[in-house]
Amino acid sequence: MGMTAAYEVRGLVCRLGGRDIVREVDLDVVHGEVLALVGPNGAGKSTLLGALTGDVPIAEGDVRLDGRPLAQWSARDLARTRAVLLQANQVSFPFTVREVVEMGRNPWVGHATAAQDDEAIAEAIERTDIAHLLERPFTALSGGEKARASLARVLAQRTDVVLLDEPTAALDLRHQEEVMVVARSLAAVGRAVVVVLHDLSLAAARADRIAMIDGGRLVSAGTPAEVLTPERVESVYGIAVHVLPAPDGHLIVIPHRGLSDTVSS
């Protein structure tokens, strides 16, 4: 089936403080697929995601969303097209969790009916398992609870493109899986999902394609099996690994511990 591009990134360079943080990246993000961005700390994953959201300035190259350069989008149109979950789930005022989720409907004020708002909010609450938290102040939540409430806000926004920066970082095993199942279900109905992940096994199990970033460059993009070779993971992360098939058929990536215990970098 012909997948249409949500984003087309060509020759992207992002500079922060005089340094190229993202260098010459070409990448397509298509509807109906989960794309995982992986790479070591400081590789430029969050900066690349920020260029897609429109929050990080583009020094060179081109980022197009639905065929239009990002600079030509109004803030309101962007908010109706792409939803963003950043690492810092910062809400400093004591909003309740319910109020935080309702913020996801702000771009649709005057555009959607109240019935659509209610349905979107209810579905987001159910999918993120936060019904029991709704009356609590967001500021009083644990890191994992904040992450799930923030994801609910993103889901309530009901956009065709969903950009998630390390949505699983603060979560326990079950909720990590649930977030990635939600990401897969969004792709299944034709949305484009980009997710920054640290866990290579989670990326292999839940992403259609993986883009591996190192030193600001795109070193590989393709299926999990194409990208996650032991040689490439070792060269990018500086640690020997086994890449093995799990009983369910997905690849898992684990350190070669006998080796890594004795070898100093």
Side-chain angles (χ1 to χ4, degrees):
M1 120 182 168
M3 303 249 205
T4 58
Y7 282 101
E8 297 160 287
V9 178
R10 297 291 179 269
L12 175 65
V13 177
C14 298
R15 258 180 219 120
L16 296 172
R19 284 178 51 233
D20 288 359
I21 308 294
V22 171
R23 315 166 185 227
E24 295 292 327
V25 167
D26 294 334
L27 188 65
D28 283 348
V29 177
V30 301
H31 291 285
E33 143 178 311
V34 176
L35 172 69
L37 297 182
V38 304
N41 292 333
K45 305 181 293 295
S46 293
T47 304
L48 174 56
L49 195 81
L52 296 179
T53 70
D55 297 318
V56 170
I58 296 166
E60 294 172 32
D62 195 26
V63 176
R64 289 172 181 261
L65 173 59
D66 290 342
R68 268 165 66 202
L70 267 190
Q72 293 178 13
W73 287 77
S74 71
R76 172 61 62 103
D77 282 346
L78 262 184
R80 288 178 182 161
T81 305
R82 60 97 181 103
V84 185
L85 176 66
L86 297 176
Q87 277 180 50
N89 301 308
Q90 298 306 357
V91 174
S92 48
F93 301 103
F95 291 105
T96 65
V97 169
R98 183 187 297 280
E99 288 168 329
V100 169
V101 179
E102 287 170 351
M103 288 172 193
R105 299 306 297 164
N106 288 352
W108 301 101
V109 167
H111 207 268
T113 65
Q116 281 175 304
D117 288 343
D118 291 345
E119 185 199 343
I121 289 163
E123 184 186 21
I125 288 165
E126 184 189 356
R127 278 182 153 181
T128 52
D129 186 30
I130 59 165
H132 58 294
L133 301 174
L134 292 175
E135 304 317 317
R136 290 179 55 192
F138 183 87
T139 45
L141 301 184
S142 73
E145 290 165 343
K146 282 181 178 170
R148 279 152 49 210
S150 298
L151 177 64
R153 172 186 56 76
V154 165
L155 294 179
Q157 211 169 319
R158 285 203 171 167
T159 54
D160 282 340
V161 179
V162 179
L163 306 170
L164 307 171
D165 195 1
E166 292 194 42
T168 59
L171 301 185
D172 62 37
L173 199 56
R174 178 188 131 204
H175 287 108
Q176 283 183 30
E177 286 297 325
E178 286 180 356
V179 166
M180 295 309 295
V181 167
V182 167
R184 290 237 48 88
S185 69
L186 293 172
V189 294
R191 295 177 183 174
V193 182
V194 182
V195 51
V196 175
L197 291 174
H198 268 300
D199 185 329
L200 297 180
S201 299
L202 192 58
R206 299 298 186 187
D208 298 288
R209 281 194 309 142
I210 294 177
M212 187 177 281
I213 316 289
D214 187 27
R217 297 188 188 280
L218 179 65
V219 293
S220 181
T223 65
E226 288 167 342
V227 173
L228 297 176
T229 65
E231 300 76 19
R232 184 174 289 116
V233 174
E234 179 169 358
S235 112
V236 167
Y237 287 85
I239 182 172
V241 296
H242 301 288
V243 179
L244 308 168
D248 60 12
H250 296 299
L251 294 177
I252 49 176
V253 181
I254 53 172
H256 189 319
R257 292 194 166 106
L259 216 53
S260 58
D261 289 346
T262 54
V263 178
S264 64
S265 53

